[in-house]
Amino acid sequence: ENGHSTGEVLLSIEDGIAWVTLNRPHKRNAINPGIVREMVDVIDRLEMDDDAKVVVITGAGEAFSAGQDLKEYFREIDQGHPMVKERLYRANSAWQWRRLMYYPKPTIAMVNGWCFGGGYGPLFACDLAFAADEANFGLSEINWGILPGGGASKVAAELLSFRRAMYHAMMGENIDGRTAAEWGLVNEALPRAALKERVRAVARVLLEKNPV
Ligand code: ACO
């Protein structure tokens, strides 16, 4: 057990697969300081856990993640000590980018529903990504007249064609899972009811290949 878990991230390990669930469904799994701390811990812990051979990241309820928590990650932190903010941002990029991107075990993003802004970090950093047809992906910032956060912009630029990335960032329209698959944001989209079984099947193939 980790020392300061608040249950905002759930972990269950079954048959070699670690299911990591962002667990603030009432806030659409918006990434707050609690999720940041717990994800750093979980990712560290799973690295050393021989029972966890493939890591799947998903969200509880209707969302994968509604992005960074606008209140707890931005507004409240902006009012505090600048170094507290610096440390929080550093921890967030550690789990979303540096750690996941270079993780020694295979990782899969299972996008069950809403995926916005900061949710694009783990989406990109995972080796593979599968989405529900019903999922919705969006870069909403333009609707407030600002550019998407640096991380989310980079994800669009890396994964999409230049024209699609620009359209996605400039229009503020959401795309569903099928369009996300067509555009290359995820590997595949399939009905939500079939998503977990497909991800489990992919994870089993990876297990057989001993990719660690
Ligand atoms: N930050 C903080 N709280 C959030 C966020 C967020 N990113 N997203 C949702 N919530 C909260 C809402 O404030 C609401 O809280 P409340 O019940 O206490 O009022 C709760 O989650 C549910 O949200 P609703 O909007 O009521 O849920 P709905 O299912 O109708 O819509 C949706 C879901 C589409 C995800 C909507 O919540 C939304 O658009 N969220 C913002 C997404 C966004 O723009 N993210 C980018 C953030 S910036 C960045 O990541 C860099």
Side-chain angles (χ1 to χ4, degrees):
E1 279 302 305
N2 79 51
H4 46 240
S5 171
T6 53
E8 289 176 334
V9 173
L10 302 178
L11 169 62
S12 101
I13 303 175
E14 294 161 23
D15 305 325
I17 308 169
W19 301 90
V20 177
T21 306
L22 306 180
N23 186 41
R24 298 181 74 218
H26 57 294
K27 296 288 184 185
R28 304 299 179 262
N29 307 321
I31 298 162
N32 67 345
I35 286 192
V36 171
R37 279 192 298 272
E38 288 191 46
M39 284 306 289
V40 169
D41 280 353
V42 163
I43 283 170
D44 259 356
R45 183 145 46 110
L46 289 177
E47 191 173 52
M48 287 294 283
D49 188 334
D50 294 336
D51 291 336
K53 296 183 169 59
V54 177
V55 176
V56 178
I57 297 179
T58 191
E62 292 162 45
F64 176 69
S65 174
Q68 300 308 123
D69 189 302
L70 297 166
K71 181 163 167 272
E72 291 186 35
Y73 187 87
F74 292 121
R75 302 232 169 87
E76 289 177 1
I77 294 295
D78 281 348
Q79 286 159 20
H81 194 289
M83 283 307 136
V84 171
K85 175 172 168 174
E86 169 62 24
R87 286 178 176 208
L88 176 64
Y89 280 36
R90 199 161 62 206
N92 189 59
S93 17
W95 86 263
Q96 288 200 6
W97 294 92
R98 288 186 294 281
R99 298 303 319 283
L100 268 184
M101 189 87 76
Y102 304 108
Y103 210 56
K105 301 181 180 186
T107 50
I108 305 175
M110 183 169 92
V111 185
N112 50 304
W114 302 109
C115 180
F116 285 97
Y120 280 39
L123 168 72
F124 177 54
C126 285
D127 301 313
L128 302 173
F130 294 81
D133 289 340
E134 301 91 333
N136 255 286
F137 296 78
L139 296 177
S140 56
E141 286 91 332
I142 196 67
N143 298 321
W144 288 271
I146 54 174
L147 293 169
S153 293
K154 178 174 168 59
V155 174
E158 294 276 347
L159 290 182
L160 306 178
S161 72
F162 182 72
R163 292 292 177 208
R164 280 178 172 160
M166 292 303 283
Y167 188 92
H168 194 47
M170 292 177 77
M171 296 297 285
E173 297 170 1
N174 297 343
I175 59 170
D176 64 12
R178 284 183 188 202
T179 306
E182 193 188 315
W183 285 13
L185 204 51
V186 297
N187 291 96
E188 260 177 61
L190 58 169
R192 184 180 278 150
L195 180 63
K196 189 166 183 184
E197 270 323 297
R198 173 66 179 134
V199 169
R200 199 195 305 274
V202 169
R204 285 201 178 123
V205 173
L206 296 171
L207 286 172
E208 280 164 21
K209 296 189 189 301
N210 188 19
V212 176

